[in-house]
Amino acid sequence: MCLAVPGKVVRWLDREPLFARAEIEFEGVRRVCHMACVPEAELGEFVIVHAGVAISRVDAAEAQQLLHELRSLSESSEEPSL
Amino acid sequence: MKLVDEFRDVAVARRLVEDIQQRATRRWVLMEVCGGQTHSLLRNGIDAALADVVELIHGPGCPVCVTPAEDIDLACQLAQQPEVILSSFGDMLRVPGNAGSLLDAKTRGADVRMVYSPLDAVALAQREPQRQIIFFAVGFETTAPTTALAVLQAERLGLKNFSLIVSHVRVLPAMELLMQASDNRVQGFLAAGHVCTVTGFAAYDDFVGEFHVPVAVTGFEPVDLLVGIRDCVMQLESGRVEATNCYGRSVRRSGNAEAQRVIEQAYAISDGPWRGFGIVPRGVLRLRPELQRFDATQRFGVIESRPCLFNECRAPDVLSGRIKPPDCRHFGASCVPETPLGAPMVSSEGACAAYYRYGGHTATAPLAAK
């Protein structure tokens, strides 16, 4: 139920606050999502979408910083993703 | 998928497992609150990989599991009304109440439809003005903004054929109940990352202070989960106790103000029942008085509930972490996903379903494989 996935904002469709909508791209597939909770989201930015509604703007810099810190922990590996 | 695959990196995950193993001087008991986290932990073999140093017990964060059977019964009965289209999330349709599930009602002829978003149900109400569209609104604070938007849109559009059965629940009051229980074993929490995306995590400061237990706001991918576990273990080993954010790419300390605003416009906090928990103080959301005309129970009348028939199901013990699913004598025998005794075996976030699906395969899970 609380599952949510990140997608990229590719086109705003409606900016009226209660009915705000945008096209969001998930791995090349575009879906119309509701944007009332992320009215400031910008094109090209990632948002986290739950039940058709974007609930958060992704802090990409924070994500990269964490990954950088974690990779410094791990040795280089050719293993695939889980 | 960008921002997902990076957090499934096996090498990083294995290094985090080693790091946690090196830091732990004893075996700590942690609870992951959200059922989505439970499934990810088992799917990736994290529970098995860390078994020597961390016991993971599974929390109440399966919304359909704690939705009162009486609400499901109400939905099933309203679905039988000829003018009604009863809609909800796919998970909710399969959970049995006292007299079957919404899918059972559908096989008896009721018009029951799965929707991806509550806002799809609003669109359905616009397309079918001669029908009454009821959306069965379940879920934690992650989902509450989506159903709040639905009712606020319906109000703005002047829809007279849209209503809600509201069965929303709040996470923090349930965590407080767990900590107050005399048999509580939880020493640290992995808080639900997407709930905190909406609510923020400032509210956990008081919880941490009152119960002296670390809380790490945690995401859902294996690396996210291991970062949260490592943070809890580091806190416990050092004696430090605080609420920390290990899911910073999504969660801000004060949460999402817009999402909180729409929740507050639509809902008020109330005491209310959770399946398996009884009345949880401040544990549910109810429609605000000015939106009562969108309450399906007001529009169609409340139907008397019947006593629970699923008393063989040990969901209350599973949802509070007192037992693991295999400890139940019905698990995998008389209770399987096709013929469940209770909600945790049905839901995609239920702990019993997670053990049934992944529990026998830990040797092949990515992080359990040596």
Side-chain angles (χ1 to χ4, degrees), chain A residues 70 73-75 82, chain B residues 9-24 41 44-54 56 221-231 233-234 365-370:
Chain A
L70 293 175
L73 263 181
S74 80
E75 298 151 6
L82 299 184
Chain B
D9 187 302
V10 170
V12 173
R14 288 220 170 110
R15 185 67 192 92
L16 279 164
V17 167
E18 291 168 8
D19 193 58
I20 294 164
Q21 287 168 331
Q22 287 164 7
R23 290 176 188 275
L41 288 166
N44 291 293
I46 292 172
D47 57 326
L50 291 174
D52 291 343
V53 291
V54 174
L56 288 158
E221 301 303 334
V223 167
D224 292 316
L225 288 159
L226 286 162
V227 170
I229 292 168
R230 183 178 67 157
D231 186 86
V233 168
M234 287 167 65
L367 289 174
K370 299 292 182 190

mmCIF file of all heavy atoms in Angstrom, chain A residues 70 73-75 82, chain B residues 9-24 41 44-54 56 221-231 233-234 365-370:
data_model
loop_
_atom_site.group_PDB
_atom_site.id
_atom_site.type_symbol
_atom_site.label_atom_id
_atom_site.label_comp_id
_atom_site.label_asym_id
_atom_site.label_seq_id
_atom_site.Cartn_x
_atom_site.Cartn_y
_atom_site.Cartn_z
ATOM 1 N N LEU A 70 28.574 5.366 0.584
ATOM 2 C CA LEU A 70 28.460 3.910 0.693
ATOM 3 C C LEU A 70 29.458 3.201 -0.216
ATOM 4 O O LEU A 70 30.005 2.158 0.146
ATOM 5 C CB LEU A 70 27.031 3.467 0.346
ATOM 6 C CG LEU A 70 25.957 3.919 1.337
ATOM 7 C CD1 LEU A 70 24.578 3.535 0.823
ATOM 8 C CD2 LEU A 70 26.201 3.291 2.710
ATOM 9 N N LEU A 73 32.686 2.605 1.138
ATOM 10 C CA LEU A 73 32.719 1.460 2.059
ATOM 11 C C LEU A 73 33.037 0.170 1.322
ATOM 12 O O LEU A 73 33.679 -0.723 1.836
ATOM 13 C CB LEU A 73 31.333 1.269 2.697
ATOM 14 C CG LEU A 73 30.987 1.809 4.057
ATOM 15 C CD1 LEU A 73 29.552 1.402 4.375
ATOM 16 C CD2 LEU A 73 31.928 1.289 5.118
ATOM 17 N N SER A 74 32.511 0.061 0.113
ATOM 18 C CA SER A 74 32.554 -1.243 -0.560
ATOM 19 C C SER A 74 33.722 -1.325 -1.527
ATOM 20 O O SER A 74 34.156 -0.344 -2.106
ATOM 21 C CB SER A 74 31.240 -1.501 -1.296
ATOM 22 O OG SER A 74 31.218 -0.830 -2.496
ATOM 23 N N GLU A 75 34.191 -2.536 -1.687
ATOM 24 C CA GLU A 75 35.231 -2.768 -2.681
ATOM 25 C C GLU A 75 34.580 -2.800 -4.054
ATOM 26 O O GLU A 75 33.393 -3.041 -4.184
ATOM 27 C CB GLU A 75 35.901 -4.113 -2.399
ATOM 28 C CG GLU A 75 36.567 -4.143 -1.043
ATOM 29 C CD GLU A 75 36.604 -5.533 -0.450
ATOM 30 O OE1 GLU A 75 36.204 -6.477 -1.156
ATOM 31 O OE2 GLU A 75 37.022 -5.654 0.705
ATOM 32 N N LEU A 82 20.548 -6.340 -7.414
ATOM 33 C CA LEU A 82 19.696 -7.380 -6.820
ATOM 34 C C LEU A 82 18.443 -7.558 -7.642
ATOM 35 O O LEU A 82 17.939 -6.633 -8.194
ATOM 36 C CB LEU A 82 19.316 -7.002 -5.388
ATOM 37 C CG LEU A 82 20.463 -6.837 -4.410
ATOM 38 C CD1 LEU A 82 19.890 -6.551 -3.031
ATOM 39 C CD2 LEU A 82 21.345 -8.055 -4.359
ATOM 40 N N ASP B 9 22.402 -2.300 -5.218
ATOM 41 C CA ASP B 9 23.754 -2.732 -5.556
ATOM 42 C C ASP B 9 24.214 -3.816 -4.570
ATOM 43 O O ASP B 9 24.320 -3.576 -3.366
ATOM 44 C CB ASP B 9 24.685 -1.511 -5.492
ATOM 45 C CG ASP B 9 26.074 -1.824 -5.993
ATOM 46 O OD1 ASP B 9 26.718 -2.735 -5.427
ATOM 47 O OD2 ASP B 9 26.511 -1.161 -6.951
ATOM 48 N N VAL B 10 24.523 -5.001 -5.109
ATOM 49 C CA VAL B 10 24.872 -6.138 -4.254
ATOM 50 C C VAL B 10 26.154 -5.876 -3.469
ATOM 51 O O VAL B 10 26.241 -6.196 -2.274
ATOM 52 C CB VAL B 10 25.019 -7.419 -5.102
ATOM 53 C CG1 VAL B 10 25.614 -8.551 -4.265
ATOM 54 C CG2 VAL B 10 23.673 -7.846 -5.654
ATOM 55 N N ALA B 11 27.156 -5.294 -4.133
ATOM 56 C CA ALA B 11 28.444 -5.085 -3.461
ATOM 57 C C ALA B 11 28.276 -4.133 -2.273
ATOM 58 O O ALA B 11 28.812 -4.386 -1.189
ATOM 59 C CB ALA B 11 29.455 -4.518 -4.455
ATOM 60 N N VAL B 12 27.532 -3.060 -2.488
ATOM 61 C CA VAL B 12 27.296 -2.108 -1.402
ATOM 62 C C VAL B 12 26.512 -2.778 -0.274
ATOM 63 O O VAL B 12 26.825 -2.630 0.912
ATOM 64 C CB VAL B 12 26.549 -0.862 -1.923
ATOM 65 C CG1 VAL B 12 26.143 0.050 -0.772
ATOM 66 C CG2 VAL B 12 27.411 -0.099 -2.924
ATOM 67 N N ALA B 13 25.496 -3.553 -0.662
ATOM 68 C CA ALA B 13 24.660 -4.220 0.351
ATOM 69 C C ALA B 13 25.493 -5.203 1.173
ATOM 70 O O ALA B 13 25.389 -5.255 2.404
ATOM 71 C CB ALA B 13 23.494 -4.930 -0.328
ATOM 72 N N ARG B 14 26.347 -5.979 0.502
ATOM 73 C CA ARG B 14 27.168 -6.962 1.238
ATOM 74 C C ARG B 14 28.123 -6.263 2.199
ATOM 75 O O ARG B 14 28.359 -6.728 3.312
ATOM 76 C CB ARG B 14 27.946 -7.814 0.237
ATOM 77 C CG ARG B 14 27.034 -8.792 -0.514
ATOM 78 C CD ARG B 14 27.725 -10.144 -0.696
ATOM 79 N NE ARG B 14 26.724 -11.099 -1.211
ATOM 80 C CZ ARG B 14 26.736 -11.582 -2.434
ATOM 81 N NH1 ARG B 14 27.695 -11.244 -3.261
ATOM 82 N NH2 ARG B 14 25.806 -12.439 -2.818
ATOM 83 N N ARG B 15 28.675 -5.128 1.762
ATOM 84 C CA ARG B 15 29.598 -4.399 2.624
ATOM 85 C C ARG B 15 28.858 -3.853 3.851
ATOM 86 O O ARG B 15 29.400 -3.847 4.958
ATOM 87 C CB ARG B 15 30.240 -3.252 1.823
ATOM 88 C CG ARG B 15 31.291 -2.506 2.579
ATOM 89 C CD ARG B 15 32.528 -3.370 2.866
ATOM 90 N NE ARG B 15 33.404 -2.730 3.835
ATOM 91 C CZ ARG B 15 33.340 -2.936 5.147
ATOM 92 N NH1 ARG B 15 32.462 -3.786 5.664
ATOM 93 N NH2 ARG B 15 34.169 -2.305 5.959
ATOM 94 N N LEU B 16 27.627 -3.414 3.630
ATOM 95 C CA LEU B 16 26.833 -2.931 4.764
ATOM 96 C C LEU B 16 26.519 -4.068 5.736
ATOM 97 O O LEU B 16 26.543 -3.876 6.953
ATOM 98 C CB LEU B 16 25.531 -2.297 4.253
ATOM 99 C CG LEU B 16 25.654 -0.856 3.748
ATOM 100 C CD1 LEU B 16 24.425 -0.467 2.925
ATOM 101 C CD2 LEU B 16 25.822 0.108 4.927
ATOM 102 N N VAL B 17 26.230 -5.246 5.203
ATOM 103 C CA VAL B 17 25.989 -6.409 6.075
ATOM 104 C C VAL B 17 27.231 -6.669 6.936
ATOM 105 O O VAL B 17 27.143 -6.843 8.163
ATOM 106 C CB VAL B 17 25.629 -7.653 5.229
ATOM 107 C CG1 VAL B 17 25.696 -8.926 6.086
ATOM 108 C CG2 VAL B 17 24.240 -7.504 4.614
ATOM 109 N N GLU B 18 28.395 -6.661 6.302
ATOM 110 C CA GLU B 18 29.639 -6.894 7.059
ATOM 111 C C GLU B 18 29.854 -5.810 8.108
ATOM 112 O O GLU B 18 30.259 -6.094 9.243
ATOM 113 C CB GLU B 18 30.829 -6.920 6.091
ATOM 114 C CG GLU B 18 30.845 -8.132 5.177
ATOM 115 C CD GLU B 18 31.855 -7.973 4.038
ATOM 116 O OE1 GLU B 18 32.647 -6.995 4.048
ATOM 117 O OE2 GLU B 18 31.821 -8.812 3.129
ATOM 118 N N ASP B 19 29.570 -4.582 7.733
ATOM 119 C CA ASP B 19 29.760 -3.461 8.645
ATOM 120 C C ASP B 19 28.866 -3.604 9.876
ATOM 121 O O ASP B 19 29.310 -3.388 11.021
ATOM 122 C CB ASP B 19 29.467 -2.153 7.897
ATOM 123 C CG ASP B 19 29.931 -0.943 8.677
ATOM 124 O OD1 ASP B 19 31.132 -0.871 8.999
ATOM 125 O OD2 ASP B 19 29.082 -0.082 8.979
ATOM 126 N N ILE B 20 27.611 -3.987 9.629
ATOM 127 C CA ILE B 20 26.674 -4.181 10.752
ATOM 128 C C ILE B 20 27.153 -5.329 11.634
ATOM 129 O O ILE B 20 27.143 -5.236 12.870
ATOM 130 C CB ILE B 20 25.246 -4.440 10.213
ATOM 131 C CG1 ILE B 20 24.711 -3.190 9.507
ATOM 132 C CG2 ILE B 20 24.312 -4.853 11.345
ATOM 133 C CD1 ILE B 20 23.499 -3.448 8.626
ATOM 134 N N GLN B 21 27.613 -6.405 11.009
ATOM 135 C CA GLN B 21 28.082 -7.561 11.779
ATOM 136 C C GLN B 21 29.285 -7.186 12.646
ATOM 137 O O GLN B 21 29.430 -7.659 13.776
ATOM 138 C CB GLN B 21 28.432 -8.712 10.831
ATOM 139 C CG GLN B 21 27.199 -9.369 10.227
ATOM 140 C CD GLN B 21 27.524 -10.308 9.086
ATOM 141 O OE1 GLN B 21 28.525 -10.119 8.386
ATOM 142 N NE2 GLN B 21 26.676 -11.309 8.877
ATOM 143 N N GLN B 22 30.152 -6.329 12.110
ATOM 144 C CA GLN B 22 31.340 -5.923 12.870
ATOM 145 C C GLN B 22 30.989 -4.995 14.031
ATOM 146 O O GLN B 22 31.631 -5.017 15.078
ATOM 147 C CB GLN B 22 32.335 -5.232 11.938
ATOM 148 C CG GLN B 22 33.047 -6.200 11.001
ATOM 149 C CD GLN B 22 33.729 -5.506 9.833
ATOM 150 O OE1 GLN B 22 33.781 -4.280 9.785
ATOM 151 N NE2 GLN B 22 34.221 -6.295 8.894
ATOM 152 N N ARG B 23 29.967 -4.183 13.831
ATOM 153 C CA ARG B 23 29.618 -3.204 14.865
ATOM 154 C C ARG B 23 28.831 -3.812 16.027
ATOM 155 O O ARG B 23 28.919 -3.333 17.161
ATOM 156 C CB ARG B 23 28.764 -2.070 14.257
ATOM 157 C CG ARG B 23 29.533 -1.157 13.325
ATOM 158 C CD ARG B 23 28.608 -0.129 12.691
ATOM 159 N NE ARG B 23 29.278 0.642 11.668
ATOM 160 C CZ ARG B 23 30.013 1.733 11.902
ATOM 161 N NH1 ARG B 23 30.147 2.165 13.140
ATOM 162 N NH2 ARG B 23 30.599 2.375 10.917
ATOM 163 N N ALA B 24 28.052 -4.849 15.743
ATOM 164 C CA ALA B 24 27.142 -5.387 16.765
ATOM 165 C C ALA B 24 27.908 -6.253 17.757
ATOM 166 O O ALA B 24 28.627 -7.172 17.369
ATOM 167 C CB ALA B 24 26.037 -6.196 16.100
ATOM 168 N N LEU B 41 12.845 -7.009 2.883
ATOM 169 C CA LEU B 41 13.820 -7.687 3.749
ATOM 170 C C LEU B 41 13.878 -9.177 3.447
ATOM 171 O O LEU B 41 14.957 -9.764 3.315
ATOM 172 C CB LEU B 41 13.450 -7.476 5.225
ATOM 173 C CG LEU B 41 13.680 -6.084 5.813
ATOM 174 C CD1 LEU B 41 12.963 -5.934 7.150
ATOM 175 C CD2 LEU B 41 15.170 -5.823 5.982
ATOM 176 N N ASN B 44 15.116 -10.119 -0.243
ATOM 177 C CA ASN B 44 16.546 -9.959 -0.454
ATOM 178 C C ASN B 44 17.397 -10.766 0.527
ATOM 179 O O ASN B 44 18.623 -10.714 0.453
ATOM 180 C CB ASN B 44 16.918 -8.479 -0.377
ATOM 181 C CG ASN B 44 16.364 -7.707 -1.563
ATOM 182 O OD1 ASN B 44 16.793 -7.918 -2.689
ATOM 183 N ND2 ASN B 44 15.381 -6.851 -1.312
ATOM 184 N N GLY B 45 16.760 -11.473 1.443
ATOM 185 C CA GLY B 45 17.505 -12.306 2.386
ATOM 186 C C GLY B 45 18.234 -11.515 3.451
ATOM 187 O O GLY B 45 19.177 -12.022 4.070
ATOM 188 N N ILE B 46 17.812 -10.283 3.698
ATOM 189 C CA ILE B 46 18.500 -9.453 4.697
ATOM 190 C C ILE B 46 18.308 -10.015 6.099
ATOM 191 O O ILE B 46 19.231 -10.025 6.920
ATOM 192 C CB ILE B 46 18.001 -7.990 4.611
ATOM 193 C CG1 ILE B 46 18.457 -7.372 3.284
ATOM 194 C CG2 ILE B 46 18.496 -7.162 5.791
ATOM 195 C CD1 ILE B 46 17.878 -6.001 2.982
ATOM 196 N N ASP B 47 17.098 -10.517 6.369
ATOM 197 C CA ASP B 47 16.838 -11.090 7.697
ATOM 198 C C ASP B 47 17.775 -12.264 7.963
ATOM 199 O O ASP B 47 18.330 -12.404 9.051
ATOM 200 C CB ASP B 47 15.371 -11.510 7.822
ATOM 201 C CG ASP B 47 14.958 -12.508 6.756
ATOM 202 O OD1 ASP B 47 15.475 -12.426 5.619
ATOM 203 O OD2 ASP B 47 14.140 -13.394 7.053
ATOM 204 N N ALA B 48 17.986 -13.100 6.939
ATOM 205 C CA ALA B 48 18.865 -14.269 7.111
ATOM 206 C C ALA B 48 20.326 -13.844 7.198
ATOM 207 O O ALA B 48 21.096 -14.372 8.010
ATOM 208 C CB ALA B 48 18.660 -15.238 5.945
ATOM 209 N N ALA B 49 20.720 -12.868 6.389
ATOM 210 C CA ALA B 49 22.122 -12.438 6.366
ATOM 211 C C ALA B 49 22.554 -11.847 7.702
ATOM 212 O O ALA B 49 23.715 -11.947 8.088
ATOM 213 C CB ALA B 49 22.327 -11.422 5.242
ATOM 214 N N LEU B 50 21.615 -11.232 8.409
ATOM 215 C CA LEU B 50 21.951 -10.553 9.670
ATOM 216 C C LEU B 50 21.475 -11.326 10.898
ATOM 217 O O LEU B 50 21.518 -10.788 12.016
ATOM 218 C CB LEU B 50 21.315 -9.153 9.684
ATOM 219 C CG LEU B 50 21.902 -8.128 8.714
ATOM 220 C CD1 LEU B 50 21.083 -6.840 8.741
ATOM 221 C CD2 LEU B 50 23.359 -7.830 9.068
ATOM 222 N N ALA B 51 21.043 -12.574 10.695
ATOM 223 C CA ALA B 51 20.357 -13.299 11.777
ATOM 224 C C ALA B 51 21.190 -13.382 13.055
ATOM 225 O O ALA B 51 20.640 -13.424 14.155
ATOM 226 C CB ALA B 51 19.967 -14.697 11.298
ATOM 227 N N ASP B 52 22.514 -13.397 12.941
ATOM 228 C CA ASP B 52 23.354 -13.537 14.135
ATOM 229 C C ASP B 52 23.377 -12.279 14.995
ATOM 230 O O ASP B 52 23.651 -12.349 16.194
ATOM 231 C CB ASP B 52 24.797 -13.867 13.733
ATOM 232 C CG ASP B 52 24.914 -15.264 13.147
ATOM 233 O OD1 ASP B 52 23.977 -16.068 13.350
ATOM 234 O OD2 ASP B 52 25.927 -15.529 12.473
ATOM 235 N N VAL B 53 23.126 -11.130 14.376
ATOM 236 C CA VAL B 53 23.296 -9.871 15.116
ATOM 237 C C VAL B 53 22.022 -9.034 15.233
ATOM 238 O O VAL B 53 21.961 -8.112 16.052
ATOM 239 C CB VAL B 53 24.407 -9.004 14.491
ATOM 240 C CG1 VAL B 53 25.768 -9.644 14.707
ATOM 241 C CG2 VAL B 53 24.158 -8.766 13.015
ATOM 242 N N VAL B 54 21.037 -9.330 14.397
ATOM 243 C CA VAL B 54 19.789 -8.551 14.436
ATOM 244 C C VAL B 54 18.613 -9.493 14.277
ATOM 245 O O VAL B 54 18.584 -10.312 13.348
ATOM 246 C CB VAL B 54 19.742 -7.490 13.307
ATOM 247 C CG1 VAL B 54 18.380 -6.797 13.286
ATOM 248 C CG2 VAL B 54 20.850 -6.460 13.482
ATOM 249 N N LEU B 56 14.863 -9.240 13.276
ATOM 250 C CA LEU B 56 13.891 -8.313 12.692
ATOM 251 C C LEU B 56 12.497 -8.836 12.972
ATOM 252 O O LEU B 56 12.150 -9.956 12.567
ATOM 253 C CB LEU B 56 14.126 -8.181 11.183
ATOM 254 C CG LEU B 56 15.395 -7.388 10.825
ATOM 255 C CD1 LEU B 56 15.880 -7.735 9.435
ATOM 256 C CD2 LEU B 56 15.139 -5.892 10.958
ATOM 257 N N GLU B 221 14.425 -0.069 -0.534
ATOM 258 C CA GLU B 221 15.354 -0.893 -1.301
ATOM 259 C C GLU B 221 16.359 -1.529 -0.333
ATOM 260 O O GLU B 221 16.545 -1.030 0.784
ATOM 261 C CB GLU B 221 16.071 -0.043 -2.354
ATOM 262 C CG GLU B 221 15.130 0.625 -3.348
ATOM 263 C CD GLU B 221 14.237 -0.378 -4.080
ATOM 264 O OE1 GLU B 221 14.632 -1.551 -4.210
ATOM 265 O OE2 GLU B 221 13.131 0.015 -4.494
ATOM 266 N N PRO B 222 17.029 -2.609 -0.748
ATOM 267 C CA PRO B 222 17.905 -3.310 0.200
ATOM 268 C C PRO B 222 18.989 -2.430 0.810
ATOM 269 O O PRO B 222 19.257 -2.530 2.021
ATOM 270 C CB PRO B 222 18.500 -4.452 -0.641
ATOM 271 C CG PRO B 222 18.026 -4.271 -2.033
ATOM 272 C CD PRO B 222 16.868 -3.342 -2.014
ATOM 273 N N VAL B 223 19.599 -1.564 0.006
ATOM 274 C CA VAL B 223 20.630 -0.684 0.578
ATOM 275 C C VAL B 223 20.001 0.289 1.576
ATOM 276 O O VAL B 223 20.559 0.537 2.654
ATOM 277 C CB VAL B 223 21.376 0.071 -0.547
ATOM 278 C CG1 VAL B 223 22.226 1.208 0.016
ATOM 279 C CG2 VAL B 223 22.255 -0.907 -1.337
ATOM 280 N N ASP B 224 18.818 0.810 1.254
ATOM 281 C CA ASP B 224 18.121 1.698 2.193
ATOM 282 C C ASP B 224 17.863 0.992 3.523
ATOM 283 O O ASP B 224 18.089 1.558 4.604
ATOM 284 C CB ASP B 224 16.759 2.122 1.617
ATOM 285 C CG ASP B 224 16.883 3.035 0.415
ATOM 286 O OD1 ASP B 224 17.700 3.957 0.454
ATOM 287 O OD2 ASP B 224 16.133 2.825 -0.558
ATOM 288 N N LEU B 225 17.370 -0.238 3.433
ATOM 289 C CA LEU B 225 17.039 -0.983 4.654
ATOM 290 C C LEU B 225 18.289 -1.225 5.500
ATOM 291 O O LEU B 225 18.265 -1.087 6.725
ATOM 292 C CB LEU B 225 16.363 -2.310 4.287
ATOM 293 C CG LEU B 225 14.932 -2.149 3.770
ATOM 294 C CD1 LEU B 225 14.501 -3.367 2.964
ATOM 295 C CD2 LEU B 225 13.970 -1.926 4.940
ATOM 296 N N LEU B 226 19.383 -1.566 4.818
ATOM 297 C CA LEU B 226 20.625 -1.842 5.561
ATOM 298 C C LEU B 226 21.193 -0.570 6.176
ATOM 299 O O LEU B 226 21.756 -0.609 7.276
ATOM 300 C CB LEU B 226 21.642 -2.503 4.621
ATOM 301 C CG LEU B 226 21.295 -3.969 4.298
ATOM 302 C CD1 LEU B 226 22.035 -4.439 3.054
ATOM 303 C CD2 LEU B 226 21.633 -4.866 5.493
ATOM 304 N N VAL B 227 21.040 0.559 5.516
ATOM 305 C CA VAL B 227 21.491 1.831 6.100
ATOM 306 C C VAL B 227 20.678 2.126 7.363
ATOM 307 O O VAL B 227 21.219 2.556 8.388
ATOM 308 C CB VAL B 227 21.376 2.978 5.070
ATOM 309 C CG1 VAL B 227 21.594 4.331 5.734
ATOM 310 C CG2 VAL B 227 22.385 2.781 3.946
ATOM 311 N N GLY B 228 19.371 1.883 7.314
ATOM 312 C CA GLY B 228 18.526 2.100 8.483
ATOM 313 C C GLY B 228 18.892 1.154 9.627
ATOM 314 O O GLY B 228 18.985 1.570 10.789
ATOM 315 N N ILE B 229 19.101 -0.111 9.281
ATOM 316 C CA ILE B 229 19.483 -1.098 10.312
ATOM 317 C C ILE B 229 20.824 -0.712 10.934
ATOM 318 O O ILE B 229 20.990 -0.737 12.159
ATOM 319 C CB ILE B 229 19.550 -2.512 9.696
ATOM 320 C CG1 ILE B 229 18.155 -2.985 9.291
ATOM 321 C CG2 ILE B 229 20.194 -3.497 10.677
ATOM 322 C CD1 ILE B 229 18.147 -4.227 8.415
ATOM 323 N N ARG B 230 21.771 -0.318 10.082
ATOM 324 C CA ARG B 230 23.096 0.059 10.598
ATOM 325 C C ARG B 230 22.986 1.254 11.542
ATOM 326 O O ARG B 230 23.619 1.288 12.600
ATOM 327 C CB ARG B 230 24.041 0.391 9.447
ATOM 328 C CG ARG B 230 25.459 0.717 9.926
ATOM 329 C CD ARG B 230 26.406 1.007 8.790
ATOM 330 N NE ARG B 230 26.063 2.234 8.097
ATOM 331 C CZ ARG B 230 26.927 2.949 7.381
ATOM 332 N NH1 ARG B 230 28.169 2.529 7.258
ATOM 333 N NH2 ARG B 230 26.551 4.045 6.772
ATOM 334 N N ASP B 231 22.135 2.212 11.181
ATOM 335 C CA ASP B 231 21.977 3.389 12.036
ATOM 336 C C ASP B 231 21.415 2.992 13.398
ATOM 337 O O ASP B 231 21.890 3.452 14.444
ATOM 338 C CB ASP B 231 21.060 4.414 11.356
ATOM 339 C CG ASP B 231 20.996 5.704 12.146
ATOM 340 O OD1 ASP B 231 21.874 6.554 11.937
ATOM 341 O OD2 ASP B 231 20.089 5.840 12.989
ATOM 342 N N VAL B 233 21.626 0.057 14.864
ATOM 343 C CA VAL B 233 22.638 -0.708 15.600
ATOM 344 C C VAL B 233 23.708 0.232 16.175
ATOM 345 O O VAL B 233 24.124 0.087 17.330
ATOM 346 C CB VAL B 233 23.267 -1.784 14.682
ATOM 347 C CG1 VAL B 233 24.524 -2.383 15.328
ATOM 348 C CG2 VAL B 233 22.246 -2.877 14.378
ATOM 349 N N MET B 234 24.131 1.208 15.376
ATOM 350 C CA MET B 234 25.136 2.166 15.872
ATOM 351 C C MET B 234 24.600 2.937 17.067
ATOM 352 O O MET B 234 25.322 3.166 18.049
ATOM 353 C CB MET B 234 25.539 3.130 14.745
ATOM 354 C CG MET B 234 26.406 2.487 13.680
ATOM 355 S SD MET B 234 26.572 3.485 12.173
ATOM 356 C CE MET B 234 27.434 4.918 12.772
ATOM 357 N N ALA B 365 18.103 -16.121 -1.831
ATOM 358 C CA ALA B 365 17.956 -14.668 -1.836
ATOM 359 C C ALA B 365 19.330 -14.025 -2.012
ATOM 360 O O ALA B 365 20.334 -14.569 -1.549
ATOM 361 C CB ALA B 365 17.315 -14.199 -0.534
ATOM 362 N N PRO B 366 19.390 -12.876 -2.685
ATOM 363 C CA PRO B 366 20.689 -12.304 -3.054
ATOM 364 C C PRO B 366 21.671 -12.148 -1.906
ATOM 365 O O PRO B 366 22.851 -12.433 -2.069
ATOM 366 C CB PRO B 366 20.307 -10.941 -3.642
ATOM 367 C CG PRO B 366 18.930 -11.138 -4.159
ATOM 368 C CD PRO B 366 18.265 -12.093 -3.220
ATOM 369 N N LEU B 367 21.204 -11.697 -0.754
ATOM 370 C CA LEU B 367 22.147 -11.425 0.318
ATOM 371 C C LEU B 367 22.375 -12.617 1.224
ATOM 372 O O LEU B 367 23.320 -12.628 2.004
ATOM 373 C CB LEU B 367 21.677 -10.223 1.148
ATOM 374 C CG LEU B 367 21.804 -8.903 0.405
ATOM 375 C CD1 LEU B 367 21.197 -7.780 1.205
ATOM 376 C CD2 LEU B 367 23.259 -8.604 0.094
ATOM 377 N N ALA B 368 21.512 -13.634 1.130
ATOM 378 C CA ALA B 368 21.718 -14.826 1.945
ATOM 379 C C ALA B 368 22.709 -15.759 1.284
ATOM 380 O O ALA B 368 23.380 -16.534 1.938
ATOM 381 C CB ALA B 368 20.388 -15.534 2.182
ATOM 382 N N ALA B 369 22.819 -15.712 -0.059
ATOM 383 C CA ALA B 369 23.719 -16.612 -0.775
ATOM 384 C C ALA B 369 25.159 -16.295 -0.408
ATOM 385 O O ALA B 369 25.567 -15.142 -0.391
ATOM 386 C CB ALA B 369 23.510 -16.450 -2.277
ATOM 387 N N LYS B 370 25.892 -17.322 -0.095
ATOM 388 C CA LYS B 370 27.306 -17.130 0.283
ATOM 389 C C LYS B 370 28.176 -17.181 -0.966
ATOM 390 O O LYS B 370 27.922 -17.953 -1.856
ATOM 391 C CB LYS B 370 27.747 -18.229 1.267
ATOM 392 C CG LYS B 370 26.947 -18.213 2.558
ATOM 393 C CD LYS B 370 27.225 -16.982 3.393
ATOM 394 C CE LYS B 370 26.457 -16.999 4.708
ATOM 395 N NZ LYS B 370 26.505 -15.738 5.428
#
